[in-house]
Amino acid sequence: MADTRATVKCFECELTRAFDRLATARSFIETHRAETGHEATWELHRLAPGVERAGDEAGVCGRPECTTSDSPLYLGDR
């Protein structure tokens, strides 16, 4: 059995669904938005360590304490 890679939640209709592929989860979110107008969110459970590190260095989370501003990946205030 495949590992759960993402969990999609919609708090407006109390929907929760687990996915083993990120592409399937992303597609589900778009379909749910188109059909209901709800903004479902996802929680990613497993990413490669390099992907997590790159996201941190780029400042993806938006918190200054999580970023590495001297990294070439840092996005700044874009």
Side-chain angles (χ1 to χ4, degrees):
M1 180 174 199
D3 293 334
T4 298
R5 299 280 312 272
T7 301
V8 174
K9 294 182 180 183
C10 178
F11 295 101
E12 294 181 65
C13 63
E14 299 182 12
L15 171 85
T16 300
R17 190 167 295 172
F19 294 89
D20 60 353
R21 296 177 41 97
L22 298 180
T24 307
R26 184 178 58 235
S27 177
F28 179 82
I29 289 171
E30 292 302 320
T31 300
H32 188 70
R33 181 182 297 133
E35 291 176 352
T36 66
H38 298 170
E39 293 296 326
T41 60
W42 62 358
E43 177 184 349
L44 303 179
H45 301 293
R46 183 174 49 91
L47 297 174
V51 172
E52 289 182 0
R53 187 173 59 250
D56 289 345
E57 288 186 14
V60 172
C61 76
R63 297 180 316 185
E65 64 270 15
C66 294
T67 63
T68 305
S69 59
D70 60 346
S71 168
L73 299 174
Y74 179 62
L75 297 174
D77 292 329
R78 289 186 220 169

